[in-house]
Amino acid sequence: QDWRSRGQAHIVSYVILKWTLCLLIGVISGAVGFFNNLAIENLAGIKLLCTSNLMVANKYLMAFGVFAVTNFVLTMLAVTITSSIAPASAGSGIPEVRAYLNGVDAPDIFSPSTFLVKIFGCIATVSSLHVGKAGPMVHIGASIGALFGQGRLCKGHLTGKWLKHFNNDRDRRDLVTCGASAGVAAAFRSPVGGVLFALDSLSSWWRSSLLWRAFFTTAIVAIVLRALIDVCIKGKCGLFGKGGLIMFDVTSTSVVYHLVDLLFVVLLGIIGGVLGCFYNFLMEKVLQLYSSINEKGTKYRLLLGGTISIVTSSVLFGLPWFASCQPCPDSTKERCPTGGKMGNFHNFQCPPNYYNDLASLFFNTNDDTIRNLYSSGNELFDPFSIILCFIASYFLGVISYGVVAPAGLFVPVILTGAIYGRFIGMLMGSRSNLDHGLYAVLGSASFLGGTMRMTVSVCVIILELTNNLLLLPLVMLVLLISKAVADSFNENIYGMILKLKGLPYLEGHAEPYMRQLTVSDVVMGPLCMFNGVEKVGNIVHVLKATGHNGFPVIDGTPISSTPYLFGIILRSHLLVLLRKRNFLPTCALTSIDLSKEYSSDDFVKYGYVKPDCIEDIELTEEEMEMFIDLHPFTNTSPYTVVETMSLAKALILFREVGLRHLLIIPKHNRKCPLVGILTRHDFMPEHIFGLHPTLMKSRFK
Amino acid sequence: QDWRSRGQAHIVSYVILKWTLCLLIGVISGAVGFFNNLAIENLAGIKLLCTSNLMVANKYLMAFGVFAVTNFVLTMLAVTITSSIAPASAGSGIPEVRAYLNGVDAPDIFSPSTFLVKIFGCIATVSSLHVGKAGPMVHIGASIGALFGQGRLCKGHLTGKWLKHFNNDRDRRDLVTCGASAGVAAAFRSPVGGVLFALDSLSSWWRSSLLWRAFFTTAIVAIVLRALIDVCIKGKCGLFGKGGLIMFDVTSTSVVYHLVDLLFVVLLGIIGGVLGCFYNFLMEKVLQLYSSINEKGTKYRLLLGGTISIVTSSVLFGLPWFASCQPCPDSTKERCPTGGKMGNFHNFQCPPNYYNDLASLFFNTNDDTIRNLYSSGNELFDPFSIILCFIASYFLGVISYGVVAPAGLFVPVILTGAIYGRFIGMLMGSRSNLDHGLYAVLGSASFLGGTMRMTVSVCVIILELTNNLLLLPLVMLVLLISKAVADSFNENIYGMILKLKGLPYLEGHAEPYMRQLTVSDVVMGPLCMFNGVEKVGNIVHVLKATGHNGFPVIDGTPISSTPYLFGIILRSHLLVLLRKRNFLPTCALTSIDLSKEYSSDDFVKYGYVKPDCIEDIELTEEEMEMFIDLHPFTNTSPYTVVETMSLAKALILFREVGLRHLLIIPKHNRKCPLVGILTRHDFMPEHIFGLHPTLMKSRFK
């Protein structure tokens, strides 16, 4: 919605720039994703190495000390920087990105400080708590896109002229979408999955050309990651193994299945759905509890983070003691028990040549654990250990997410799903032809379907993770079932978090009750309008009194008796006009075109920079009595609907075209040319039910 | 846009039905796709077997006779049934499906006769000419969806009550989208690719829930295909080999590449772009020529089809004589020369223990040839043979598509691309680490990118075809380059065919010149309006005189002096009203609610059934003088825009919300409450440039 047209040369440079920015987003996202992984692997690796060495030396208490203190310090660090520098970087960031792409500007989500805190906080939390790195990576990618899209890097500085073209909402949203795709691609090394994720679960509007650009960005990410991994294979990256970027290669497993196996897969889907919606239910309760704690201040946040860190350390260190020691298998190529290094056979408290299977699950990075669970054929795990591990992972996942620090949900969910998937595979035993590793993969899929409720993107991500396309029909089936089961109970986890955060997310479809209402049923409150030539004092008064962002402009020329709707003017434009002080002495229309005194740059909206505030503008008494000619600055062709239109129909218009204001005009020509103005908030169920409580009942009948 | 709201129970049954229909579409599409492949493989197999046997017996002339006559008969058969029964089934059908999903109802594209002719015609043409089966399969899938969506199977019969819920455009479009996805999935055995294809290149509107349903449909297709292939592996399907469904398994090839290889890949992309846009250019010329021939009647169509069949047979049979005989390699497991069976080493005219490499390329089904080209490592082909084969495939592809018979473009394009890809691989020799089979795959990708200009869907389809995810970054790169190169010259092939067919496809983005126009600049012609209570004679006259489908209804009550816009009424609703003959004797408003005499079924629009025609309704002189109260049947809240809105902005509204009529209201309150009515045709460039020739120049400056 740029309100001044551009020249041909501008368009060409604009297209080139768009692609260059996508390239840059891809390169930077890839590099950041790689750096994140490297840091996490090394931090967690050193921690686990120290603990293991102490365990081997039988210094159990000291081992626990090192383990718990490291976790505690890292968590505290993450909570401190998040809480003090950028509270917006807490959590996964996926709900915020989703809300942004829906048109909700949450404060500070894309500021540079949030970006930096997200990176370093994520490294600290992921290496200490049972949380994932994928969600923060999406936010990081989106931030990269947004930072490129906001025209200047900090107030007044570095305003590259070429970046100015990107100062409209649509381009910024496109860049954020590309960035988010790049983030997913970097987190899972899954380019197609990244694009589909953005399409399926993040974006509210989508164009074919955007698909292509997002795809380009993720392709760049894939190439960058590949190049960086090539560097690392030569062993220059410390403890960073090949497991750094999630890539669970199960191509070795041959996928042969028959009709009877489908039955087990259906069962897995149902279990995933039930567990998933229970997970969401628990998560909602926990988050409500936490947010009441976190509101009280930084001290309480630190206390909460510390408690969870200690609980996590205790569980991870304590539970393996309950597992029995297993003799080392003869056939493996790996060292058993794994000595100092990170590996699959952790000795823990067991005698030599025995290993503790629970420790093998707990004392690895999450990525390595998932790889163990996905591995084919080996009968490494005891059923009792698996159950313990499942319970620990399930509940640690629930309690860890709410900490005020960057934390993702994906990896814990994948891990938990893999555990019960493998368990069910073990239960089925010889009745099923499928490999236990495959059961673990399908378990992950079913749990993802049950919690996140994304189907297509999760399916493609799993395929790209496991690099095995033959799994496709099974994964699809399990996802569809688990999503259908879970959807009949409650909402998906991101929608739930959005609601808890109070962000007005606008759904794409109309609820049935909206058909029974007309648009005039939901508008309320006094309508603030301006005349074509308005007194400065009036404008200042209205801007101070209301928080509206758009004001209709009404023109009552002396010739026609009835006033008519001239257009709509934005609050931000009014503020610019007030700041410029090109006021007219009288309310008569002049022939001087004042709009020439403004360049389009004046009206540019900058990204995260705090918008102007009416209180900042000081005007003299004299100026308050003067007038402004609003005509040149008004959008003269706003979208309008007639007052008898059903709310459902108006919602479709509002949502599909991506409006912020929708003017309602009367059916008959009354004195007033305007009935009201619809904004996003008027479509929220809370608002509608507040006005029409009777609908509430009919909704659930 | 259902104009009567539904009850709760209806909604539940509606949701269940929706999913059941998706299931059925999936099952049927899968089965039809399988049947098609089976028939083609067997027909082509028998043909090639006979020819080969005669060749071995040195009866060259007779071999050619059998080969050419079989092709000729099959082509004639296809052209005859297409031309006489269902001309709408000619070509690939992808442009028509795309136009339908954009809102253009081309006549007869989803009728049962088109569906049947498409299936059998496709089998005949694909086994005789150099055309593909994927495009027709998309149309077949979409037809299945449309047939389910149209409420009754033939006029008046079998009107299942449950199917009536699907009698609105939106649901029908959803079903067609799911069907088209299923078609792609069945053609390539590529479920994710199918969904993305529908999303990327077919659909104009897309919702997240549709993504899920399309995905479900393609998952069903994948499962059905898998089950049917399991049956066939036991050898009950005649000559149907494992190659029946395109599945070129190149997982055996390890994908290792370095920076220098990327250079060759870029080169391949550029070549693909240039060849692709030249292909499109040639195709446009050829199609223009053919359509002028085909217009002259069935005789000329048969003549054209026959000529092309003979040319194809001659080329395929003649060219191998130019190739030199190659000695059989020692190491292969296959019999060499292949005896009677279809195989990779065709003896043709060569002495025993030698094979003719060109015959190996030409005397196989296209699927087998592609598999040969994709196979790794073998140095089967002579450069000279490859060049000959490339030229033949390129030009046969161009001349074959225009025949009036079901014919696809995908497989010839994939084949041609594979040939030059492999050739470039051979040229590079030892300078590149990549396998020649990989070069062939990338060549296919580059040519697909150059002609079809689809990126994401083609990429995913290729990945699913080759079952090798490690190819991803390379395929992406090559697609992006070839599309970018080709886009700078001309349009994609489906857009070109759409224009040749004259279908008013509405693009999703506004052209720059549209910003300079307001909506009132493009509306033209006299505006036909009705009063709220209108004389029957007037209505009949207007309906006969114009072809419009929507008419504004103006109300001028005696109380208010100025008339106001009451709403818009559809032609189809007017026809129903006229047919029912519930006329009023006077023009005074009565209190009797006539709308109760109509059920919503009366206004249901049936799918392919020919709509009512005004000429069919006969009214007496007396009735012509009577009145109809249009109020209850009018859509009282049409979408409106103000006359000063820019055309670009109106286009966004029109396209995003999916309108057919957009009313333009005046800015100031003049006597007339309406300025005009915008339809799809008013946004077409031809129309705009006709009204404003000066813009034409500025467009290209």
Side-chain angles (χ1 to χ4, degrees), chain B residues 101 291 644:
Chain B
L101 292 176
S291 71
T644 54

Side-chain angles (χ1 to χ4, degrees), chain A residues 358-644:
Chain A
L358 255 183
S360 302
L361 291 174
F362 283 149
F363 275 78
N364 268 321
T365 53
N366 281 341
D367 290 2
D368 283 325
T369 310
I370 296 174
R371 198 170 298 105
N372 280 352
L373 287 166
Y374 283 5
S375 63
S376 69
N378 45 1
E379 293 291 341
L380 278 170
F381 308 108
D382 188 65
F384 174 72
S385 305
I386 287 272
I387 292 175
L388 264 186
C389 184
F390 168 69
I391 294 170
S393 174
Y394 193 88
F395 290 100
L396 280 182
V398 171
I399 63 164
S400 301
Y401 178 75
V403 175
V404 187
L409 281 167
F410 259 97
V411 176
V413 165
I414 292 177
L415 176 60
T416 311
I419 298 170
Y420 76 75
R422 188 140 191 138
F423 179 65
I424 285 171
M426 286 160 69
L427 280 187
M428 292 309 151
S430 58
R431 262 158 296 186
S432 166
N433 299 303
L434 290 179
D435 188 86
H436 292 179
L438 274 186
Y439 268 108
V441 173
L442 294 175
S444 296
S446 73
F447 202 44
L448 281 171
T451 50
M452 317 265 169
R453 317 283 163 86
M454 304 158 189
T455 46
V456 187
S457 50
V458 164
C459 179
V460 175
I461 288 174
I462 286 184
L463 290 184
E464 291 190 292
L465 282 181
T466 57
N467 201 12
N468 191 336
L469 280 170
L470 297 175
L471 274 176
L472 184 60
L474 293 180
V475 174
M476 274 183 167
L477 189 68
V478 93
L479 275 171
L480 288 167
I481 292 168
S482 66
K483 179 175 154 78
V485 168
D487 264 349
S488 54
F489 291 104
N490 57 17
E491 216 187 341
N492 78 65
I493 202 158
Y494 293 123
M496 195 198 78
I497 295 171
L498 269 178
K499 273 200 185 147
L500 284 179
K501 297 211 172 193
L503 297 171
Y505 186 84
L506 200 62
E507 292 293 338
H509 57 272
E511 297 289 330
Y513 61 83
M514 287 186 179
R515 288 185 195 282
Q516 302 164 31
L517 295 172
T518 66
V519 285
S520 53
D521 290 337
V522 296
V523 285
M524 53 171 283
L527 190 60
C528 302
M529 295 187 282
F530 292 124
N531 291 317
V533 181
E534 184 63 84
K535 206 165 138 192
V536 174
N538 276 351
I539 296 176
V540 171
H541 175 72
V542 167
L543 287 182
K544 276 187 183 163
T546 69
H548 299 179
N549 283 313
F551 300 93
V553 175
I554 304 296
D555 233 0
T557 50
I559 306 141
S560 76
S561 58
T562 49
Y564 67 93
L565 178 67
F566 184 74
I568 186 167
I569 191 159
L570 296 179
R571 183 191 199 88
S572 54
H573 291 182
L574 283 175
L575 288 171
V576 173
L577 292 179
L578 291 177
R579 197 175 281 280
K580 281 271 177 173
R581 289 163 211 245
N582 278 323
F583 301 138
L584 301 174
T586 64
C587 86
L589 268 172
T590 53
S591 57
I592 312 156
D593 189 4
L594 280 171
S595 64
K596 280 181 190 150
E597 298 187 19
Y598 298 89
S599 74
S600 66
D601 289 351
D602 293 334
F603 294 100
V604 151
K605 186 180 149 198
Y606 290 105
Y608 73 96
V609 179
K610 227 170 183 173
D612 281 337
C613 186
I614 180 65
E615 276 75 24
D616 298 345
I617 300 172
E618 281 170 22
L619 296 167
T620 60
E621 279 295 316
E622 197 182 330
E623 280 171 334
M624 292 291 255
E625 291 300 313
M626 290 171 85
F627 290 87
I628 303 185
D629 182 6
L630 299 178
H631 289 108
F633 313 104
T634 304
N635 172 357
T636 58
S637 54
Y639 288 103
T640 56
V641 293
V642 75
E643 60 178 334
T644 54

Side-chain angles (χ1 to χ4, degrees), chain B residues 285-306:
Chain B
K285 297 292 162 215
V286 168
L287 286 181
Q288 278 168 349
L289 177 70
Y290 281 12
S291 71
S292 67
I293 295 172
N294 288 333
E295 272 168 12
K296 290 182 191 163
T298 309
K299 260 187 208 166
Y300 285 88
R301 294 176 188 183
L302 282 172
L303 196 69
L304 182 67

Side-chain angles (χ1 to χ4, degrees), chain A residues 2 5-6 8 11 19 191-192 195-196 199-200 205-206 208 211-212 215-216 218-219 222-223 226 230 247 255-258 262 455-456 459-460 463-464 467-470 472-473 476-477 479-480 483-484 487 512 515 562-567 635-642 644-646 649-650 652-653 656-657 665 667-669 698-699 701, chain B residues 2 5 8 11 19 170 191-192 195-196 199-200 205-206 208 211-212 215-216 218-219 222-223 226 230 247 255-258 262 455-456 459-460 463-464 467-470 472-473 476-477 479-480 483-484 487 512 515 562-567 635-642 644-646 649-650 652-653 656-657 665 667-669 698-699 701:
Chain A
D2 48 353
S5 62
R6 287 173 187 150
Q8 196 76 30
I11 291 171
W19 287 94
V192 180
V195 174
L196 280 176
L199 167 68
D200 185 12
W205 295 278
W206 195 267
S208 196
L211 190 70
W212 192 31
F215 193 49
F216 173 73
T218 58
I223 291 171
R226 175 142 207 119
D230 273 352
M247 179 65 127
V255 185
V256 185
Y257 52 89
H258 300 289
L262 288 183
T455 46
V456 187
C459 179
V460 175
L463 290 184
E464 291 190 292
N467 201 12
N468 191 336
L469 280 170
L470 297 175
L472 184 60
M476 274 183 167
L477 189 68
L479 275 171
L480 288 167
K483 179 175 154 78
D487 264 349
R515 288 185 195 282
T562 49
Y564 67 93
L565 178 67
F566 184 74
N635 172 357
T636 58
S637 54
Y639 288 103
T640 56
V641 293
V642 75
T644 54
M645 187 178 278
S646 84
K649 218 166 149 184
I652 290 167
L653 168 64
E656 293 295 327
V657 184
I665 52 171
K667 183 98 193 170
H668 303 271
N669 285 315
S698 66
R699 190 194 188 185
K701 84 176 171 200
Chain B
D2 50 352
S5 63
Q8 197 76 30
I11 291 171
W19 286 93
R170 192 176 115 149
V192 179
V195 174
L196 280 176
L199 168 68
D200 186 11
W205 293 278
W206 194 267
S208 195
L211 190 69
W212 193 28
F215 192 48
F216 173 73
T218 57
I223 291 172
R226 176 143 206 121
D230 274 354
M247 179 64 128
V255 186
V256 185
Y257 52 91
H258 299 290
L262 288 184
T455 45
V456 186
C459 177
V460 175
L463 290 183
E464 291 192 291
N467 201 13
N468 193 336
L469 279 170
L470 297 175
L472 185 60
M476 273 181 166
L477 189 67
L479 275 171
L480 288 166
K483 181 175 151 80
D487 264 349
R515 288 186 195 280
T562 49
Y564 67 92
L565 177 68
F566 184 73
N635 172 359
T636 57
S637 54
Y639 288 104
T640 55
V641 293
V642 76
T644 54
M645 187 180 278
S646 83
K649 217 167 151 184
I652 290 167
L653 169 64
E656 293 295 329
V657 184
I665 52 173
K667 184 97 191 171
H668 302 270
N669 284 316
S698 66
R699 189 193 190 186
K701 85 176 169 196

